Amino acid sequence: MLQSFIQNIFNALQWGSFYSLIALGYCLVYGVLLLINFAHGDIFMVGAYIAFYVCMLFLGKFGIIPGMPGWLVLALAVPLTMMLTAVVGVTLERVAYRPLRRKGVNRLYVVITALMCGLILEHANLALLGASRRSFPTLIPTTVYNIAGVNITNVKLGVILVAVLAFFFLRFVVVKTKIGMAMRAISYDRFAVPLMGIPADSVIVFTFVLGSGFAGLAGLLFAVTYPVLDPYMGALIGWKAFIAAVVGGIGSIRGAFAGGFLLGFVEIMVVAFFPSTLRDLIAFTILLLILSVKPTGLFGVARRTKI
Amino acid sequence: MKQYTIPALLALLLAVLVFVSMTGAMNVYWQSVLMFMGINIILSSSLNIINGNMGEFSCGHAGFMAVGAYVSSVLSVLLFAEGSVFGEALLPPHLAVFLFPFILVAGGVAASLVGLLVAVPSFRTRGDYLAIITIAAAYIVKSTIENINAIGGARGFMGMSKVTAAMNTTAELPWMIIWVFLGTVFSVWLIRRFIFSTLGNGVNAVCQDEIAAEIMSVNTNQVKMTAFMVSCGLAGIAGALFAHVLGYVNPGSFTILKSTEVMVMVYLGGMGSLSGSVLSAILITLLMEALRPLQIIKWIVIPLLLVLLMQFRPEGIMGNRELANIFPGLKKFYRLKG
């Protein structure tokens, strides 16, 4: 009983890690722009596909060393995937969001554009690459550590570790660095920031780089853990991660992280005790309940509106 | 006399539609396109209450449609069709025609009750948070349906075509065309009456400035609740018609894509314009049919259309104007001065 419980806790930590990594990206963009970047889940999907092609490139004829070892491929794939996914995210911002921001239109139009961009990414992927699922190559042979009856794989540990490191890294960037201060300034007062000589657009691009980069990292880890890719994989996970970010309190990094892990725990525990088809139902119901009790989320701060 | 022009024209249109379907002048494909057009008109004009007039962002409209579709299907199959699920039909088949409107309304009422899931949180939250709640509500509905094995779960539910066949025992008419037409006219009429009523003005006031509306003695909670319930109820009626036109429902047809389709119609037509949402529903339905051979490319073209729309003409076809504002000559045919 206790063993299976601890086993489930580890599964939940791993599952929550994915949610947290995606929720962090949502949270950054929302914090700075007050924009729900609905395409973020699909950027995660694109990240997984980019990771797949990068790895195929290295494992194929183009490997720098013939017969590259898996760990080296992974080590090269992580920064490359993050960079390329960041490029996708920034392109989206440049092409779709920035013109709208310049015009100063209603926020709703930007949200709709984001939603549609997500759909375009999904279906462009379907149209270009076909609907056949791709299986991700095994880079690192899975080793199972059995500690007192609890099975922990090295991949699981890696994923949890990366999520925690990403959290501390982002927290460091937002709290301690100059550009982080600029990000917080933009979310605090959009009008005063350009007057202080801060290039708002570059800060926004940097935000998208960070958010999309971590979505790419999440995509890579997801592909390593569950080596089957399909174009719709980002949609549901993206929605859920966003709801997790909202439950944590959107606009606070701690909240996004906590919300992601909370949702991971809820889902894994539901699967452990109920039929697995009830997973989404119970998860969404719990989230709705939390939101109706605390509309600003667990860590969120209620914004005062001046009349 | 002028006030009877529009009802007379509509009656004539219905008669023409029935006649061309009976004689086979209009083939089955075009009949189904017309029916889906009617259903889409109901969907887009009902979502327009929330997304256009109230200025909220609901992306779970398909969820309420699913509620209406399932409730009405289960009712009609239970009453009029021999199925593997419920066994013998409870009522003789010649009653099907007379009870079908009540079945549709039952689907609508059920959907508007589920709409409370969204309406109650909307008292306290607005904007992005409410959008999340609508998505969650749609997912909750969908997974609830998938988990009820008695109505087929994820496999879907069938038997409604027997009910439409049972209607023909009373009289040999293209019944579904008649029902969809009546449903569409009823919905548009209801929404029009609602939007130009005092409550409807309250909806517009909430969109402009909620705090000011509250100060000016608009009961915002009542307004929001009515708007959500009317909108979701009509979506339920649309779902009920959808289920009976297809003769088969499946939770997979009520995904986020369906909600998106309806949203595209609303924003293309223009936020808060009833005639705009009707026009754009007609246009989008025809466009969907035209793009059908492209299959997956369709879902790149339609979002792209909306993205371009948001960039260059975010107010949509009509903006927030009605037909009567553009052609003032039409005003004399209305009893109700908008």
Side-chain angles (χ1 to χ4, degrees), chain A residues 30 34 36 38 95-96 99-100 103 105-109 111-113 115-117 119-120 123-124 126-127 232 236 239 242-243 246 250 277-278 280-281 284-285 288 291-293 295-296 305 307, chain B residues 51 55-57 59 117 121 124-125 128-129 131-133 135-137 139-141 143-144 146-147 211 215 256-257 260 263-264 267 271 296-297 299-300 302-304 306-307 310-312 314-315:
Chain A
Y30 189 91
L34 287 185
I36 306 179
F38 273 136
V95 173
L100 285 175
K103 285 179 197 153
V105 294
N106 189 336
R107 262 186 52 231
L108 190 63
Y109 299 152
V111 173
I112 294 162
T113 305
L115 189 61
M116 293 303 135
C117 287
L119 283 176
I120 291 174
H123 294 98
L126 259 182
Y232 288 111
L236 190 59
W239 286 119
F242 176 64
I243 296 179
V246 172
I250 192 113
T277 46
L278 290 175
D280 293 0
L281 181 61
F284 277 119
T285 314
L288 260 190
L291 271 187
S292 47
V293 176
T296 47
T305 43
I307 302 174
Chain B
N51 283 24
E56 288 297 353
F57 187 62
C59 15
L117 261 185
R124 292 181 61 188
T125 48
D128 302 337
Y129 286 89
I132 301 309
I133 289 170
I135 295 164
Y139 268 118
I140 286 174
V141 167
S143 21
T144 310
E146 279 169 356
N147 279 303
I211 297 160
I215 291 168
I256 193 92
L257 281 184
T260 308
M263 267 195 286
V264 173
Y267 293 115
M271 287 160 70
I296 203 73
I297 310 279
W299 278 110
I300 301 176
I302 286 171
L304 203 59
L306 201 59
V307 168
M310 290 295 148
Q311 298 276 2
F312 298 113
E315 66 271 28

Side-chain angles (χ1 to χ4, degrees), chain B residues 255-273:
Chain B
T255 50
I256 193 92
L257 281 184
K258 188 79 197 171
S259 302
T260 308
E261 222 175 284
V262 185
M263 267 195 286
V264 173
M265 289 173 204
V266 171
Y267 293 115
L268 181 72
M271 287 160 70
S273 161

Side-chain angles (χ1 to χ4, degrees), chain A residues 13-80:
Chain A
L13 280 173
Q14 182 196 21
W15 194 228
S17 300
F18 296 124
Y19 282 142
S20 293
L21 279 173
I22 303 169
L24 286 171
Y26 269 117
C27 169
L28 284 172
V29 172
Y30 189 91
V32 171
L33 286 180
L34 287 185
L35 154 75
I36 306 179
N37 184 7
F38 273 136
H40 196 73
D42 298 302
I43 290 178
F44 156 80
M45 180 270 297
V46 170
Y49 270 83
I50 288 176
F52 171 79
Y53 282 108
V54 165
C55 293
M56 284 324 239
L57 198 68
F58 283 135
L59 289 171
K61 300 192 192 89
F62 303 100
I64 300 163
I65 312 157
M68 277 171 91
W71 57 267
L72 188 60
V73 173
L74 192 64
L76 285 170
V78 169
L80 262 173

Side-chain angles (χ1 to χ4, degrees), chain B residues 164 223 286:
Chain B
T164 33
V223 162
L286 291 174

